[in-house]
Amino acid sequence: MILVEISDSSESKTSLICVDNLRGVSEFSLNFLNDRVKVRASCNGLLCCSSIPDKGVFYVCNPVTREYRLLPKSRERHVTRFYPDGEATLVGLACDSAHQKFNVVLAGYHRMFGHRPDGSFICLVFDSELNKWRKFVSFQDDHFTHMNKNQVVFVNIALHWLTASSTYILVLDLSCDVWRKMQLPYNLIYGTGNRIYLLDLDGCLSVIKISEAWMNIWVLKDYWKDEWCMVDKVSLRCIRGMVPGIFPISQTGECVFLATHKQILVYHRKTQIWKEMYSVKYRSTLPLWFSAHAYRSTMFSCN
């Protein structure tokens, strides 16, 4: 299933809905946080949210149990800020359900107040067991689109982001706080009109390529040997008019959820049937794909 933020331009307000393949569409509330928040990341049933009125305030919550945890503020000095807009470039949530613990990652380019950015890429990692942040600095030269930032995948004690160039995957190994690069499928053909996305597929890293007529899906079968395997090739003929503005958000072995500006679609792998799950009936200020996240319910405790 997926979570989607709906923005109503006529009333200048936002709301959340949950779109489930079996249960359909339902309202989704985070009111128990007693704050206006934005969902920044989703992992194994937990959400990482940032406060809209109070910059730098983060929560991790479980919407099913309505439990939440207010994260302590990091000890970063106020004269140090993320560049260029004061917010982290990358926000990641890593939930280890086997050991009932999680990490929150805030990473981005920094600059000292009154100075130009020097290329340093600072990473803050919150440890739920220790209830504190740790920090390390590296040098990166990567750029990320909005969808790259939204689509972070937690697999094998590491967080994964696709870069804007779509030439490799940037990996943060949380076991040793090291950034590294992972290769994409060797037979992934680039070209005009081709778009690449990074998703989870039943606990494995997956890459989806959308072209004018096809949606090709790869899965990383052997993580340590970088062995990719194409598992699906889907014709986009019956939704051809939507293809330029359609984005994959979440997938399972049974279906793929995709979002356009005003619609949520689901593709059923077994029957090869497309179905519209939701459509905006009024004027929306932001497209649905802009704030859509993969989600699944769980009893995982965040405390």
Side-chain angles (χ1 to χ4, degrees):
M1 68 181 92
I2 64 174
L3 289 183
V4 184
E5 183 178 288
I6 309 297
S7 56
D8 187 343
S9 60
S10 62
E11 299 183 16
S12 300
K13 68 177 184 179
T14 61
S15 59
L16 285 171
I17 60 169
C18 179
V19 183
D20 185 276
N21 181 38
L22 298 176
R23 300 182 181 89
V25 180
S26 58
E27 293 184 354
F28 196 89
S29 175
L30 296 176
N31 290 340
F32 60 91
L33 294 177
N34 298 313
D35 195 356
R36 287 195 302 121
V37 298
K38 178 178 179 61
V39 177
R40 302 299 301 274
S42 171
C43 181
N44 290 338
L46 297 189
L47 301 178
C48 176
C49 304
S50 62
S51 172
I52 294 174
D54 298 320
K55 186 174 289 188
V57 172
F58 285 86
Y59 303 88
V60 171
C61 68
N62 184 333
V64 173
T65 63
R66 298 176 69 85
E67 290 182 330
Y68 71 90
R69 187 163 173 177
L70 173 63
L71 304 189
K73 287 194 174 183
S74 67
R75 295 183 178 181
E76 283 296 284
R77 293 175 296 175
H78 295 296
V79 294
T80 304
R81 56 166 298 201
F82 284 109
Y83 175 84
D85 57 4
E87 294 200 357
T89 303
L90 304 177
V91 178
L93 176 61
C95 299
D96 185 346
S97 54
H99 298 92
Q100 292 289 299
K101 63 180 182 179
F102 66 84
N103 297 107
V104 173
V105 171
L106 307 179
Y109 297 96
H110 270 56
R111 71 173 176 87
M112 297 296 292
F113 182 76
H115 294 75
R116 293 183 177 180
D118 59 6
S120 59
F121 197 69
I122 295 185
C123 186
L124 303 173
V125 181
F126 175 78
D127 187 312
S128 64
E129 291 185 314
L130 301 177
N131 196 41
K132 66 179 184 180
W133 296 85
R134 63 181 186 265
K135 170 185 172 182
F136 66 97
V137 183
S138 61
F139 290 90
Q140 305 288 340
D141 189 25
D142 301 300
H143 301 280
F144 306 88
T145 67
H146 180 81
M147 290 302 290
N148 292 155
K149 298 174 186 178
N150 273 5
Q151 295 182 329
V152 51
V153 180
F154 176 59
V155 174
N156 286 335
I157 321 177
L159 290 168
H160 305 74
W161 288 269
L162 185 66
T163 58
S165 62
S166 295
T167 52
Y168 59 85
I169 298 167
L170 185 65
V171 184
L172 173 58
D173 189 333
L174 291 168
S175 66
C176 55
D177 289 348
V178 171
W179 293 98
R180 58 185 174 85
K181 296 178 181 180
M182 175 180 286
Q183 298 302 312
L184 289 165
Y186 71 92
N187 55 349
L188 191 67
I189 301 173
Y190 303 99
T192 303
N194 290 344
R195 294 176 285 132
I196 314 297
Y197 301 96
L198 186 68
L199 295 179
D200 171 278
L201 178 55
D202 296 336
C204 294
L205 209 58
S206 176
V207 168
I208 295 181
K209 183 184 77 171
I210 292 183
S211 61
E212 183 178 347
W214 296 96
M215 177 171 67
N216 296 336
I217 303 176
W218 285 265
V219 170
L220 188 58
K221 291 294 186 180
D222 191 317
Y223 186 86
W224 305 112
K225 294 182 180 179
D226 285 353
E227 291 183 0
W228 294 88
C229 176
M230 184 184 289
V231 295
D232 218 341
K233 185 172 183 178
V234 181
S235 172
L236 302 178
R237 181 182 302 173
C238 60
I239 61 164
R240 181 171 296 173
M242 302 180 183
V243 170
I246 200 166
F247 298 83
I249 305 299
S250 176
Q251 63 175 335
T252 67
E254 298 177 352
C255 61
V256 183
F257 286 95
L258 305 99
T260 67
H261 192 105
K262 291 189 174 184
Q263 294 169 294
I264 302 295
L265 304 179
V266 63
Y267 171 76
H268 295 273
R269 296 180 188 270
K270 187 175 181 179
T271 60
Q272 300 182 355
I273 292 176
W274 292 87
K275 181 181 178 182
E276 180 184 280
M277 297 293 293
Y278 177 80
S279 178
V280 175
K281 305 302 181 185
Y282 46 81
R283 185 176 180 84
S284 177
T285 56
L286 292 173
L288 295 180
W289 54 260
F290 192 84
S291 297
H293 298 269
Y295 176 72
R296 67 181 181 89
S297 59
T298 182
M299 297 305 290
F300 189 116
S301 175
C302 54
N303 290 312

